[in-house]
Amino acid sequence: MSVRTSSAVGLGFAIACLAGSAGADVKIAFIDPLSGGAASTGILAQKTHQFYIDAINAAGGLNGEKLELLSYDNKVNPQESLIQLKRAIDEGARYIVQGNGSAVALAISDAVQKHNERNPGKEVVYLNYAAIDPALTNDKCTFWHFRFDADADMKMAAMTDVIARDAKVKRVYLINQDYSFGKAVAAAARRMLGEKRPDVTIVGDELHPLQKVNDFSPYVAKIKAAAADTVITGNWSNDMVLLIKAGKDAGLKVEWETYYGGSPGTVTAVGEAGVDTLKQVSEWHRNAAPELDGSVAAFSKRFPGKENEYAYWRAKTMWEMFAAAAKKAQSNDPVKVARALEGLKMPTSLGEVEMRADNHQLLQPLYVSTLERNMKYDSEGTGLGWRTDAKVDGKATALPTTCKMERPK
Amino acid sequence: MLEIVTVSLLNGVVYGLLLFMLSSGLTLIFSMMGVLNFAHASLFMLGAYLSYQLGRWVGFWPALVVAPLLCAAIGAAIERWGLRRVHPHGHVAEILFTFGLAYVIEELVTMTWGRNAVANPVPASIDFSLFTLFGSTFPAYKGLMMAISVAMFVCLYVALRRTRIGLIIQAALTHPRMVSALGHDVPAVFVLVFAIGSGLAGLAGVIGGFMLLTQPTLAHAVGPIVFVVVVVGGLGSLAGALIASMLIGILQTFAVAVDYSMLDVLNAMGVGVSRASALGEVLGIKLATAAPVVPYLLLVLMLVVRPRGLLGTRDV
Amino acid sequence: MSEAAIVAHGAAGRRTWNRGAMVALVGLLLVLPHIPGLASDFARSLLTQMGIAAVFALSFNVLFGQTGLLSFGHAVYFGMGGYAAIHAMRAINHGFPLPMVLVPLAGAAGGLACGLVLGALTTRRAGTIFALISLGVGELFYAAAFMLPRFFGGEEGISASRTRGSFDLGIPLATQLDVYYVVVAWGLVAAALMYAFQSTPVGRMCNAVRDNPQRAQFVGYSTTRVRFIAFAVAAMFAGLAGGLHAVNYEIVAADALGAQRSGAVLIMAYIGGCAYFAGPVLGAIAITWLSSSLSSYTPAWQLYLGVFFIVMILYAPEGIAGLLLRHRAATRPSRGGWARAASASVPLLLIAAGAIVIVEMGYRLSTQAELGTRMRVLWIGLDAASAWPWVLATIAFAVGAIALPRVLRSSSGAPGEAS
């Protein structure tokens, strides 16, 4: 008897606590890692998104309504992300923001598609700011997904253009994380190097478990044994930092061609050994153009400290486009905003950007840069900063697509 | 070929000695009390954080001494006020207690130092290259770690076999009730062993803190492998723990270097198995990709074939 | 209280269930998602999660509470069942003629297959060796999940749709409510079967093997065979829970078989009370609710969960079910009892208040520094940067911690009344 009554009491308590929250604001759900190995990037991204949402609110909100950012920790786990997605939707979120981990992005994209099919009138739109597996804007594209970062193939195209002009590169070692994105990087590297520099030999193609390797010295030993002069890697967060650290410890002398060489902690880990050897391909870097100063200064004023060094220029682009689309659509309804976002062009401090209507991929300028001493702005207080090697115009980054998306009527 | 073998051997030995530092304490605790101490890796993590914090206040070398002592004190407190109270409820309750404790320690660390990895760089006094082998530099802090690890083994070995308290501990490892009947204060010995074990974990944490990243998930990263070492090495045997950690360290490091799979071997022998088939997928796993699995395979094999472990003096 | 005593107590607990109680329970489950406050999608999905966790925890208890085998890798069977089910769903999406509501059977089959194979290898030994082997097997499967992408899907996992099938028996499974009812239906079937298993001769022998394996062998039963049967049954129902999980989330990834899930089910079963049949169900409900709802109130929720767990282990090892049954007497008013409870609650409140303030302030400063240091804890506004809240909270905690043992000692007069 008492077991059941106590259970009833417990459930009553639960009911009281579960009473849902309702509000007139536009709720935006941020689903990314806020704990664990990738927490540093997730937390920094959260602050960046909050900063720009506050800016929109300060300027009068979105068509008069205030934006609210709800944060959910997914620990870079696709399953956990779907649980949090369900929760976010039930708490009223109509826009989902995510970026850390293409495995998660694929799961969210699929789940959003299913939800929108089954719940007409309650659609949600997914804004992807960092997950760059090409499949999301090709085979697995969906009308409800918008990507604001250049995909792995586009970045590899820019990187291989620079490599093609560098005669010193002869033996390339590929090391990546063992999942869809890492494999995409490796495949793109092989394909594009084969087209642009057939004389280059690929001496290694390594896939290591994601976020699980503590000590990269065995991998560094293999790179050395293969006599590679260049390493191409898509590693991010801990995997990037630890790989570079192991390379530095072993005195590995290679050119590091990376996607995320600028991710927090990497420059500190490599130090002087990275000068002229650590390269990255990204949509910005601190020394890219003086027009960046105002934005970066405003962010650093609100979030001071080394761990809050500004990193997501594309977040600014994303939120400004979002606000522009809502204004164009004269509505905050996700379907109307999505239609307005398609094909939208916008000028930014670094060049014009355009959201492709055919596959929802943003076209923005890309920079290939190298670590250097005595630059105007340095990274993480190390005295070393980034120097532009090449800039690719937004339109020139476009690649053909296999996307065939179903549009709502 | 010689280069990769020598470098891999060196890396394997370094990794193995780090594992030994971590598991020497757990061998003592597990052998003595039969408690699967899930909180051991958490004390390793505490050692790393404490040395980071103390290092910022008083410098690295004093921290190297004080942090393990603090961990030993915490370990003694855990035993005296936690495990002892749980002991009458049975083995399972003890295991679950340490399980919950690991969880709580991780959260307390997050509460104090945040979720991000703290900047715990190699101290300037040992941040140089010790020697160069085949063009690869060998950092001095790895040399320090090896020295500490070997010293740990020697000190423990001598202390257990030559000192009086060591003999009592050894006896209590295999016959706790008899030792108690002979008039020794076995509970106090338990506290001492737990404190020593925790202190050793803390010492390992001081070095491990800047070898790996000092963040709240550090305990998760090293936890399972420590159990493998203790079980494979055998209960009650320090030498067994050393051999097991070296074995695992070297095996794993070498495995990463091998880019061949069973499929390549079969195909070379003329047995044609297509890579596209399901069997081909399983056999096609390169040894390099399978490296993380090797310790657990060893664990299961050892438990099924010889539960005593390599040099164990008694059954689990 | 030794383990044997806890177990003996369990026999008494079974008498509380009778036909009327069963009907009432089923009725409650059917009506639950329509109660205002629980009618939102979020609440319904929480209830669904509780149902899945309850079946999983019950299956764990077949191994642990019933047969005495502690397993740290029970999630392997949950996960393998989940993968089997999601592949079945994929096949149905491509036209295989099976109704979606029968997919959990595929999960049960997957769990059973794994249980038979691995059980044959691992049930020779019991006790700590079995626990360690299960830990090793769990880690093995988790690592293997990333190495065989065709079956396990790698980091992305395997996904399918629960609404795309050739015939659905009128249950389209489009809304969370539909999924809830499917989970409840399968959950009741599984619970009834496991309850019946307890009373079969094999089930009774499991208890015997748990209590005194030597004597069971003397009487002529093979302990290995009994354990193997219990293992297979537990794996089958874990697989069933995995199948329900696949239907609910439409994705199964490697963490479905991971160490964290194995640890979670162990905690649920133990906290609920492993000596009682319904104990794991209570534990599953409590833990699922705590993990889900507490996180919206405070960033320190995992710490509170961990401390709650440790306190349960130290002071209430018989679990929630045991506590409820033991304190039946407390519902009858007795002067001494109320006075004792009242006097013990004051130091307890001081300890709790002091600890909560310190913990919340600590978390705010170290993980949410950009929100500033002014905050509200327990309805009191305070500034975490100033020293006063820290000092006062520490004093409250210390006073409570010193006073509590004294209060308990002085007020416990009746003999045989353990705290």
Side-chain angles (χ1 to χ4, degrees):
Chain A
M1 201 57 198
S2 78
V3 174
R4 273 185 292 119
T5 8
S6 312
S7 318
V9 166
L11 276 168
F13 186 49
I15 290 174
C17 297
L18 285 173
S21 57
D25 301 338
V26 177
K27 292 194 167 66
I28 300 176
F30 173 74
I31 305 179
D32 249 344
L34 297 173
S35 63
S40 53
T41 40
I43 293 174
L44 183 57
Q46 179 197 37
K47 292 177 187 168
T48 315
H49 293 303
Q50 184 70 63
F51 180 73
Y52 287 113
I53 285 178
D54 290 343
I56 294 179
N57 283 342
L62 207 69
N63 289 323
E65 286 188 337
K66 293 262 181 265
L67 295 175
E68 188 188 346
L69 185 70
L70 308 170
S71 300
Y72 302 90
D73 180 8
N74 71 355
K75 306 176 184 66
V76 199
N77 185 314
Q79 193 136 359
E80 185 65 31
S81 308
L82 291 195
I83 297 174
Q84 300 301 331
L85 177 67
K86 230 185 238 268
R87 204 161 138 200
I89 294 177
D90 292 324
E91 286 179 8
R94 300 300 296 278
Y95 297 95
I96 315 292
V97 173
Q98 181 273 345
N100 268 293
S102 295
V104 170
L106 287 163
I108 290 185
S109 183
D110 190 40
V112 162
Q113 168 89 29
K114 284 185 186 129
H115 168 87
N116 290 352
E117 269 172 14
R118 295 171 190 162
N119 300 284
K122 294 199 220 159
E123 291 87 352
V124 299
V125 163
Y126 167 33
L127 304 170
N128 169 6
Y129 71 92
I132 58 177
D133 181 351
L136 283 160
T137 47
N138 285 290
D139 295 332
K140 302 215 175 111
C141 70
T142 158
F143 174 79
W144 308 104
H145 159 268
F146 289 88
R147 171 150 58 196
F148 290 88
D149 194 6
D151 76 29
D153 289 348
M154 291 158 71
K155 289 189 176 173
M156 184 57 73
M159 193 192 278
T160 45
D161 279 343
V162 174
I163 290 180
R165 300 198 287 264
D166 187 351
K168 289 196 300 292
V169 175
K170 297 226 172 3
R171 297 169 69 83
V172 169
Y173 197 97
L174 306 170
I175 174 167
N176 285 292
Q177 298 150 317
D178 193 356
Y179 76 116
S180 57
F181 164 65
K183 292 179 190 164
V185 171
R190 275 187 185 278
R191 194 174 67 239
M192 294 183 187
L193 280 176
E195 287 163 13
K196 297 175 190 171
R197 278 285 297 272
D199 60 305
V200 160
T201 333
I202 300 201
V203 294
D205 191 350
E206 189 80 55
L207 291 171
H208 67 80
L210 174 68
Q211 302 280 337
K212 285 186 185 61
V213 180
N214 292 327
D215 182 21
F216 277 88
S217 356
Y219 296 97
V220 168
K222 277 170 95 171
I223 297 175
K224 269 234 161 125
D229 53 53
T230 309
V231 171
I232 296 184
T233 175
N235 280 14
W236 47 274
S237 204
N238 281 6
D239 290 329
M240 182 78 247
V241 178
L242 288 170
L243 174 60
I244 286 272
K245 198 166 160 187
K248 179 188 165 208
D249 281 344
L252 184 65
K253 295 206 184 342
V254 293
E255 291 211 335
W256 292 96
E257 306 272 355
T258 73
Y259 280 47
Y260 298 106
S263 69
T266 315
V267 175
T268 314
V270 74
E272 283 286 324
V275 171
D276 271 338
T277 55
L278 181 63
K279 301 174 194 293
Q280 64 164 349
V281 55
S282 52
E283 85 281 9
W284 85 298
H285 64 86
R286 190 62 185 87
N287 296 304
E291 289 86 340
L292 294 169
D293 292 356
S295 318
V296 178
F299 183 82
S300 306
K301 188 159 162 220
R302 168 113 180 249
F303 297 108
K306 215 165 70 159
E307 76 275 8
N308 290 324
E309 202 172 88
Y310 190 80
Y312 292 100
W313 174 255
R314 55 191 182 276
K316 180 169 193 277
T317 309
M318 178 170 100
W319 290 111
E320 285 178 358
M321 287 191 86
F322 179 69
K327 194 163 158 198
K328 182 171 156 194
Q330 300 273 314
S331 158
N332 294 339
D333 175 57
V335 184
K336 299 199 175 99
V337 171
R339 278 196 230 274
L341 199 45
E342 279 191 316
L344 189 65
K345 291 193 191 159
M346 199 179 78
T348 73
S349 318
L350 298 180
E352 195 188 59
V353 302
E354 177 187 345
M355 175 57 75
R356 285 173 68 163
D358 56 353
N359 64 356
H360 291 189
Q361 169 67 53
L362 184 71
L363 298 175
Q364 60 187 328
L366 284 181
Y367 290 85
V368 180
S369 51
T370 309
L371 201 60
E372 181 62 87
R373 288 186 203 92
N374 303 324
M375 297 300 296
K376 182 160 183 217
Y377 294 104
D378 73 330
S379 205
E380 296 171 3
T382 54
L384 308 168
W386 297 97
R387 169 200 83 217
T388 306
D389 286 343
K391 178 181 175 186
V392 184
D393 197 35
K395 288 218 180 5
T397 62
L399 290 177
T401 179
T402 59
C403 175
K404 291 182 189 39
M405 61 169 74
E406 280 178 22
R407 286 192 165 67
K409 311 283 175 292
Chain B
M1 181 68 185
L2 180 64
E3 178 190 338
I4 189 100
V5 168
T6 325
V7 172
S8 295
L9 195 62
L10 190 59
N11 281 332
V13 166
V14 167
Y15 184 50
L17 284 173
L18 178 65
L19 282 180
F20 174 71
M21 276 210 300
L22 252 178
S23 38
S24 52
L26 189 60
T27 304
L28 276 180
I29 295 173
F30 193 12
S31 318
M32 164 86 74
M33 303 186 280
V35 178
L36 274 171
N37 183 13
F38 279 99
H40 193 77
S42 309
L43 283 159
F44 167 79
M45 180 171 71
L46 263 181
Y49 270 100
L50 285 172
S51 85
Y52 156 76
Q53 195 62 54
L54 290 169
R56 293 181 73 184
W57 290 335
V58 297
F60 172 67
W61 297 101
L64 184 62
V65 171
V66 176
L69 287 174
L70 279 175
C71 287
I74 295 174
I78 292 174
E79 212 287 334
R80 174 75 183 73
W81 284 296
L83 273 178
R84 194 177 294 189
R85 195 167 298 194
V86 178
H87 191 67
H89 298 312
H91 259 326
V92 176
E94 277 177 339
I95 293 174
L96 291 179
F97 174 72
T98 61
F99 198 73
L101 200 61
Y103 204 55
V104 167
I105 291 180
E106 181 183 332
E107 285 303 311
L108 286 174
V109 160
T110 308
M111 179 177 96
T112 322
W113 285 285
R115 288 190 208 280
N116 281 350
V118 292
N120 194 7
V122 179
S125 41
I126 44 176
D127 192 11
F128 56 91
S129 157
L130 207 52
F131 59 84
T132 316
L133 185 67
F134 288 113
S136 295
T137 57
F138 187 77
Y141 71 83
K142 285 193 181 174
L144 176 67
M145 187 221 68
M146 289 174 75
I148 292 182
S149 189
V150 171
M152 219 188 251
F153 175 71
V154 168
C155 288
L156 273 176
Y157 197 80
V158 163
L160 280 180
R161 291 212 185 237
R162 299 268 178 263
T163 64
R164 188 179 143 75
I165 186 69
L167 290 173
I168 296 175
I169 290 178
Q170 266 202 296
L173 278 175
T174 44
H175 298 87
R177 271 179 280 228
M178 196 59 211
V179 171
S180 181
L182 284 171
H184 296 288
D185 188 356
V186 175
V189 173
F190 278 19
V191 173
L192 180 67
V193 167
F194 211 90
I196 294 177
S198 310
L200 289 172
L203 181 57
V206 173
I207 308 272
F210 50 78
M211 260 185 84
L212 315 166
L213 283 177
T214 308
Q215 57 188 0
T217 51
L218 183 58
H220 281 304
V222 298
I225 232 159
V226 179
F227 277 112
V228 176
V229 169
V230 169
V231 170
V232 168
L235 285 189
S237 168
L238 213 54
L242 183 64
I243 295 177
S245 20
M246 300 298 278
L247 184 66
I248 290 175
I250 293 174
L251 268 181
Q252 246 193 306
T253 315
F254 268 99
V256 172
V258 176
D259 269 328
Y260 299 110
S261 64
M262 274 300 289
L263 196 65
D264 295 325
V265 171
L266 284 177
N267 283 343
M269 291 198 306
V271 180
V273 181
S274 141
R275 199 169 280 269
S277 68
L279 188 62
E281 195 192 17
V282 174
L283 294 176
I285 300 173
K286 292 197 282 194
L287 196 54
T289 330
V293 160
V294 167
Y296 302 113
L297 213 55
L298 201 57
L299 172 71
V300 175
L301 276 169
M302 186 62 77
L303 281 171
V304 171
V305 165
R306 191 189 152 89
R308 215 163 252 258
L310 286 172
L311 293 178
T313 53
R314 67 167 201 178
D315 220 341
V316 176
Chain C
M1 242 184 150
S2 72
E3 283 172 275
I6 295 172
V7 160
H9 225 272
R14 272 182 229 125
R15 273 179 252 136
T16 53
W17 294 106
N18 55 38
R19 192 150 291 172
M22 289 303 307
V23 171
L25 178 67
V26 173
L28 179 67
L29 286 173
L30 289 174
V31 163
L32 213 48
H34 298 289
I35 299 175
L38 287 181
S40 74
D41 248 6
F42 171 51
R44 285 169 180 171
S45 67
L46 194 62
L47 290 172
T48 314
Q49 279 177 53
M50 287 178 184
I52 297 174
V55 174
F56 188 29
L58 279 174
S59 81
F60 178 81
N61 214 30
V62 168
L63 260 185
F64 184 42
Q66 197 175 337
T67 322
L69 291 171
L70 173 60
S71 165
F72 285 110
H74 200 57
V76 168
Y77 311 99
F78 178 89
M80 292 306 285
Y83 276 108
I86 201 93
H87 281 290
M89 280 169 77
R90 273 216 154 155
I92 296 175
N93 289 160
H94 289 299
F96 188 78
L98 183 72
M100 201 59 81
V101 290
L102 291 184
V103 160
L105 271 180
L112 180 62
C114 273
L116 287 172
V117 169
L118 289 166
L121 286 170
T122 62
T123 48
R124 276 168 213 284
R125 304 265 188 173
T128 321
I129 296 187
F130 177 84
L132 286 170
I133 294 182
S134 68
L135 183 71
V137 166
E139 291 288 337
L140 253 178
F141 266 82
Y142 182 71
F146 295 104
M147 298 192 303
L148 299 170
R150 194 182 309 206
F151 184 71
F152 292 103
E155 286 282 341
E156 293 86 31
I158 306 273
S159 57
S161 168
R162 65 174 185 246
T163 52
R164 227 175 282 163
S166 37
F167 60 108
D168 53 22
L169 296 182
I171 308 169
L173 285 180
T175 65
Q176 189 62 52
L177 192 61
D178 296 335
V179 178
Y180 169 79
Y181 282 127
V182 167
V183 166
V184 161
W186 278 110
L188 287 172
V189 165
L193 286 174
M194 281 190 265
Y195 190 74
F197 178 69
Q198 264 189 328
S199 331
T200 61
V202 174
R204 296 278 183 218
M205 278 317 297
C206 292
N207 292 344
V209 163
R210 169 197 67 199
D211 293 333
N212 200 334
Q214 239 181 350
R215 189 164 176 194
Q217 277 182 313
F218 253 64
V219 177
Y221 289 92
S222 156
T223 50
T224 309
R225 179 171 281 190
V226 170
R227 287 185 186 129
F228 175 65
I229 293 176
F231 195 89
V233 169
M236 180 172 77
F237 284 108
L240 179 71
L244 291 171
H245 176 94
V247 170
N248 188 28
Y249 292 112
E250 300 176 279
I251 185 176
V252 178
D255 69 306
L257 10 105
Q260 207 172 14
R261 197 171 293 270
S262 295
V265 75
L266 173 59
I267 293 176
M268 286 181 201
Y270 196 84
I271 284 193
C274 46
Y276 307 94
F277 181 75
V281 177
L282 292 176
I285 293 176
I287 299 288
T288 309
W289 177 70
L290 280 174
S291 328
S292 161
S293 301
L294 209 53
S295 54
S296 30
Y297 290 107
T298 159
W301 65 277
Q302 279 179 304
L303 178 60
Y304 294 136
L305 194 62
V307 168
F308 171 63
F309 180 59
I310 289 186
V311 164
M312 288 293 287
I313 295 176
L314 286 174
Y315 298 109
E318 69 275 20
I320 298 179
L323 273 180
L324 290 173
L325 282 170
R326 187 148 56 90
H327 287 102
R328 262 167 148 178
T331 56
R332 277 175 238 122
S334 99
R335 214 170 244 161
W338 284 120
R340 263 195 81 214
S343 61
S345 62
V346 171
L348 273 175
L349 282 173
L350 278 176
I351 292 178
I356 289 178
V357 169
I358 292 179
V359 164
E360 292 295 329
M361 288 200 297
Y363 267 86
R364 170 59 69 99
L365 288 178
S366 65
T367 64
Q368 294 173 321
E370 70 279 0
L371 291 176
T373 56
R374 298 210 60 84
M375 52 192 293
R376 284 189 79 78
V377 181
L378 294 176
W379 307 283
I380 309 168
L382 48 83
D383 185 354
S386 85
W388 278 115
W390 294 94
V391 169
L392 288 174
T394 319
I395 292 177
F397 184 82
V399 164
I402 295 173
L404 186 65
R406 270 164 233 247
V407 163
L408 285 177
R409 232 176 292 143
S410 67
S411 63
S412 77
E417 209 178 351
S419 79

